[in-house]
Amino acid sequence: MGLLDPINPLGEIAVDVLACGPAASRRCPPSKTLRTAGRPPFTVVVDREDDMRFTRTVLAAHHPAAGRVVIHPTLGGGDRLLWHDILHAVADGRPLRAPSCAARGNVPAQERSARAALKAGAVHRLTVLRAHRIGWGVWADLVALHRTTGTDVTVVHHAELPVDLAHLLRHCDHRILTNHADVRALHPPAKTSGESWADGRHR
């Protein structure tokens, strides 16, 4: 499901972006048209200086048993490895049960497996790092995931937001965080003993 696919959970955004044209357009619909009542907005952390504190804080919060999952995305593969990354992050080293392995099947099947895993794992917060390196289609998928599941999604963009991406965000209810203290408040440490998942995988 990409941003401009004819049928997808973010059909509204696809239509709106095509209708209002380039980022300089003044014909954009208000963000409240894509607001989900009773839910926090889609959260974008803008880490303009690529400050290691942001990354360390987010990684230290990875705690699937507590419903908090952090993804350091796999790049390439046409950006379609998102669902596979979600499944492995939810499993956190445990074997994935068939048909949950998103390495198999087509993209819709992979997405269904990932959504089922998030629901079964009672994941209430999903944070995706390195969002400045993922494509628009993945951003659209993550916004859709936030809007259509019980999982609140946060993305960490380690650079200034480009004009076109800022324009895309105008089409959804969102908030932008730039302060490390706010990021830390949103991502409490997992408080596990011994070597953490973050230390073991992302040294």
Side-chain angles (χ1 to χ4, degrees):
M1 291 188 308
L3 178 64
L4 300 181
D5 287 349
I7 300 175
N8 63 67
L10 277 186
E12 308 98 322
I13 282 185
V15 170
D16 290 342
V17 170
L18 289 174
C20 74
S25 172
R26 297 180 180 178
R27 294 182 289 142
C28 299
S31 62
K32 66 182 181 180
T33 59
L34 295 181
R35 186 165 296 166
T36 304
R39 291 285 309 284
F42 181 75
T43 301
V44 180
V45 174
V46 180
D47 171 22
R48 294 182 176 88
E49 303 301 323
D50 198 3
D51 187 339
M52 183 57 70
R53 294 180 305 158
F54 284 71
T55 300
R56 287 175 176 166
T57 296
V58 171
L59 287 173
H62 180 73
H63 193 356
R68 301 194 306 271
V69 169
V70 175
I71 292 176
H72 199 288
T74 302
L75 302 175
D79 286 333
R80 296 300 86 193
L81 295 175
L82 169 67
W83 309 115
H84 196 209
D85 289 337
I86 288 174
L87 284 167
H88 278 286
V90 172
D92 198 23
R94 297 185 300 274
L96 296 172
R97 298 177 182 175
S100 293
C101 185
R104 307 189 189 100
N106 54 27
V107 171
Q110 294 174 4
E111 179 187 355
R112 286 194 297 271
S113 294
R115 286 172 175 264
L118 289 171
K119 182 177 181 179
V123 176
H124 61 82
R125 176 157 303 283
L126 174 71
T127 302
V128 179
L129 290 162
R130 319 311 293 173
H132 62 297
R133 300 187 65 188
I134 62 179
W136 277 28
V138 176
W139 277 79
D141 288 341
L142 289 170
V143 174
L145 195 68
H146 176 88
R147 292 186 62 233
T148 59
T149 69
T151 301
D152 293 335
V153 178
T154 297
V155 295
V156 185
H157 191 279
H158 303 272
E160 187 69 60
L161 285 178
V163 173
D164 286 338
L165 185 52
H167 178 69
L168 169 65
L169 289 173
R170 289 171 62 181
H171 295 266
C172 67
D173 188 23
H174 71 283
R175 60 178 170 177
I176 292 179
L177 304 180
T178 60
N179 188 287
H180 179 249
D182 292 335
V183 175
R184 188 171 59 240
L186 197 63
H187 297 88
K191 297 181 181 178
T192 56
S193 60
E195 184 183 58
S196 71
W197 173 87
D199 292 334
R201 186 178 174 188
H202 297 286
R203 263 196 274 257

